[in-house]
Amino acid sequence: MYCRSIVLENYRNIEKASIEFSPGVNVLIGNNAQGKTNVLEAIYTFARGKSFRGASDREIATIGKNEYFNTLNYEAEGREQQLSIRYYEGAKVRHHNRIKIDRLPDMIGRFRAVFFCPDHLSLIKGGAGERRSLLNIALSQSMPGYIKWLSNYNAIVVNRNTLLREENFSAKNKSQIEAWSLILANYAADIYMARKDYISRLEYYINLYINEMTRGAESVSLRYRCDIDDKEATKEKVIQDYTSLLLNNIEKEKNAKATLYGIHRDDIIIKLNGVNSRNFTSQGQQRSIALAIKLAEGEISRDLMGEYPVFLFDDVLSELDDSRKNYVLNALENRQIIITSCEKDLFCDDREIRKIYVEKGKYTILQ
Ligand SMILES: Nc1ncnc2c1ncn2[C@@H]1O[C@H](COP(=O)(O)OP(=O)(O)OP(=O)(O)O)[C@@H](O)[C@H]1O
Ligand SMILES: [Mg+2]
């Protein structure tokens, strides 16, 4: 899969632009605050469904405009496709190949991308939420059904928590909570099975990359930390386990006023050479693991969906040492990479680079 072009209108500091990409390595080059990350943000929004910066549509629309219109032309499954997002008069309309998309989850997975920026060190140093987001964003794109399970799951947790918080807790509340618990356990099991499979694939590919980057000196292990402990569990058994946890702890949850068990508490324990990478690894090692995670995400996406996603790398080149920089630019064959950089002189021995010069929201292809 690759992104042929993006057309942006009133998007952040870009009044109007049409940017054509090559299927290989593309570098958006320019000084600070010119509009490099804004392009990656716009592209990634088609994959993720919302801005990775957590910005509202009002903030995204060019100051003074309160509307924007982005169109992505991409190649997938051997044919040209198109996605568009139009924000106008406070409402957003999305189209796929000119057909209206009714619900946001129906857009996710059509165009897939892996996004990597220096903030991703938080995958290793940050809290469990960072790692759950990694799983959710990747699985939403690569596993049909996942995003719906997750949004249904989250909605039920909200309902259940409202009941748990009620001052005059009654037998009726309890029976409603029990009913929600049964449905919740089913979604939890679907998500658990997907995450468990994903984490074992992730571990495999991370090690391939880490092995190459460190010439066999380092190895990474991942452990799925969750509320149930069933190594060979079938989905039926997982449903049973979550059902028992939810039904047997209602009193405790009533006191805590929240749902205390489920996949919303999951984490991944990442170890490097047998020790927890959160506390014992250097910045450079954390960077390598974060890069390996992102490259692995791309491999899994290809395994599950048959084509590589697009790789969007924001500001990461300056953070990588020469051998890793070389690796990213040269070794990732058959993948489209769109990178931002302030450096003008980027070398790539084996692949041609399309350099796109960025200045004040205007984009010029240099070669
Ligand atoms: N809604 C908006 N309207 C107009 N300009 C905006 C809007 N949102 C952001 N900008 C501006 O867009 C400019 C470019 O932002 P961007 O993050 O793309 O910079 P960049 O080229 O990636 O810079 P850096 O190298 O510092 O990361 C910034 O000056 C920012 O203030
Ligand atoms: Mg930037």
Side-chain angles (χ1 to χ4, degrees):
M1 156 176 302
Y2 73 94
C3 166
R4 278 182 175 276
S5 67
I6 188 158
V7 182
L8 305 159
E9 245 182 84
N10 298 323
Y11 188 84
R12 296 215 183 254
N13 71 330
I14 308 153
E15 196 187 316
K16 210 168 181 132
S18 173
I19 312 167
E20 308 242 327
F21 299 98
S22 88
V25 182
N26 299 263
V27 189
L28 293 157
I29 301 168
N31 292 333
N32 295 130
Q34 300 304 311
K36 302 184 296 295
T37 303
N38 289 347
V39 172
L40 296 195
E41 180 192 38
I43 297 174
Y44 192 46
T45 298
F46 286 104
R48 214 199 129 157
K50 57 183 180 189
S51 156
F52 76 84
R53 286 161 159 159
S56 68
D57 292 309
R58 272 181 159 273
E59 289 166 311
I60 285 169
T62 305
I63 294 166
K65 289 289 183 188
N66 203 21
E67 63 177 288
Y68 66 84
F69 188 13
N70 294 349
T71 307
L72 180 84
N73 298 302
Y74 66 104
E75 185 93 15
E77 295 163 350
R79 62 196 168 103
E80 274 188 48
Q81 307 206 35
Q82 188 184 71
L83 281 165
S84 69
I85 303 176
R86 184 167 194 220
Y87 173 69
Y88 181 66
E89 294 188 340
K92 207 152 42 179
V93 186
R94 302 177 181 88
H95 284 86
H96 175 243
N97 297 341
R98 298 193 170 77
I99 296 165
K100 192 166 172 251
I101 298 171
D102 291 328
R103 298 172 59 242
L104 175 61
D106 298 330
M107 182 178 87
I108 314 291
R110 295 184 187 275
F111 170 75
R112 289 171 290 117
V114 170
F115 179 69
F116 184 41
C117 70
D119 283 356
H120 281 122
L121 282 192
S122 63
L123 282 173
I124 291 115
K125 288 195 292 194
E130 303 281 343
R131 288 174 290 281
R132 281 197 301 274
S133 281
L134 167 92
L135 293 171
N136 289 342
I137 295 169
L139 279 163
S140 296
Q141 293 185 57
S142 306
M143 175 167 281
Y146 186 90
I147 193 164
K148 286 182 186 157
W149 300 334
L150 187 68
S151 58
N152 290 343
Y153 179 93
N154 288 335
I156 295 170
V157 169
V158 170
N159 286 343
R160 211 173 166 274
N161 288 349
T162 307
L163 290 165
L164 287 164
R165 264 187 232 117
E166 264 182 34
E167 292 290 327
N168 304 316
F169 195 86
S170 63
K172 192 168 159 237
N173 285 39
K174 188 156 184 257
S175 69
Q176 280 179 327
I177 289 174
E178 284 167 350
W180 281 127
S181 302
L182 300 182
I183 307 171
L184 198 62
N186 267 281
Y187 287 123
D190 283 327
I191 295 165
Y192 168 93
M193 299 302 277
R195 286 181 177 178
K196 193 167 157 241
D197 173 66
Y198 194 87
I199 292 168
S200 74
R201 289 171 189 263
L202 204 53
E203 183 179 61
Y204 171 78
Y205 281 117
I206 289 174
N207 277 300
L208 284 191
Y209 284 115
I210 287 285
N211 194 40
E212 253 180 74
M213 282 184 224
T214 66
R215 296 193 178 83
E218 288 168 9
S219 70
V220 172
S221 70
L222 302 185
R223 185 170 66 79
Y224 181 15
R225 199 176 78 183
C226 55
D227 289 329
I228 60 169
D229 185 20
D230 258 321
K231 290 202 172 53
E232 304 301 326
T234 58
K235 187 177 153 193
E236 287 64 35
K237 181 70 173 50
V238 177
I239 295 175
Q240 266 178 28
D241 288 351
Y242 277 117
T243 306
S244 323
L245 273 174
L246 290 164
L247 291 182
N248 296 335
N249 288 288
I250 294 176
E251 275 306 306
K252 194 172 155 191
E253 291 187 319
K254 213 174 85 187
N255 294 331
K257 299 185 189 315
T259 300
L260 297 177
Y261 299 92
I263 55 88
H264 56 293
R265 297 160 29 93
D266 286 355
D267 197 359
I268 310 172
I269 309 297
I270 306 172
K271 287 188 175 177
L272 183 71
N273 294 340
V275 291
N276 196 321
S277 60
R278 202 167 164 189
N279 309 318
F280 292 99
T281 47
S282 72
Q283 286 272 102
Q285 285 172 319
Q286 290 180 2
R287 238 170 242 146
S288 300
I289 301 172
L291 175 62
I293 291 174
K294 289 286 142 183
L295 297 176
E297 203 182 312
E299 294 296 334
I300 302 169
S301 185
R302 187 194 57 165
D303 286 349
L304 296 175
M305 304 302 286
E307 280 180 293
Y308 274 118
V310 174
F311 289 77
L312 306 170
F313 287 175
D314 192 23
D315 265 346
V316 288
L317 286 188
S318 54
E319 302 265 324
L320 300 175
D321 64 23
D322 283 347
S323 74
R324 275 173 213 138
K325 201 182 290 186
N326 233 19
Y327 190 74
V328 166
L329 291 175
N330 289 313
L332 303 177
E333 289 171 345
N334 311 320
R335 273 154 273 199
Q336 186 184 41
I337 306 169
I338 305 175
I339 308 180
T340 66
S341 178
C342 294
E343 295 171 46
K344 289 195 178 56
D345 302 316
L346 282 167
F347 293 103
C348 192
D349 303 329
D350 304 333
R351 300 180 77 182
E352 223 171 76
I353 299 187
R354 173 166 295 188
K355 291 182 179 171
I356 301 164
Y357 182 67
V358 185
E359 192 177 17
K360 293 185 184 154
K362 300 251 183 291
Y363 302 80
T364 318
I365 295 174
L366 293 181
Q367 60 188 78

